[in-house]
Amino acid sequence: SRVMGPGGAPGIDIGGLDFPALAAGHGVPGERVERAAQLDAALARAISAAGPFLLDVAVELTAAKLYDEKKE
């Protein structure tokens, strides 16, 4: 959040890109997680993978409030 400023959420939001498909094109399995209920199972699959595994986790922009930095 320091790079993006205190109002930005950490991560990258590039519309129209399918990161799991890009990963698959390089031989890396991956998946997108859009709901909290999906995260535990997706993490288990990622951890049990024999090699690299991409998780594209969608977060709400309101999550930026968790990263407010102290104003000095």
Side-chain angles (χ1 to χ4, degrees):
S1 66
R2 289 184 183 131
V3 173
M4 297 173 56
I12 299 173
D13 184 13
I14 302 174
L17 284 180
D18 183 345
F19 288 104
L22 286 170
H26 293 277
V28 175
E31 65 183 270
R32 179 167 174 83
V33 176
E34 296 188 7
R35 294 182 181 87
Q38 300 170 318
L39 189 55
D40 285 343
L43 282 171
R45 286 188 290 277
I47 291 168
S48 67
F53 191 99
L54 179 119
L55 278 181
D56 181 9
V57 181
V59 289
E60 294 182 29
L61 291 178
T62 56
K65 294 177 184 177
L66 297 173
Y67 298 95
D68 284 344
E69 296 187 17
K70 294 180 182 179
K71 309 269 186 199
E72 295 183 26

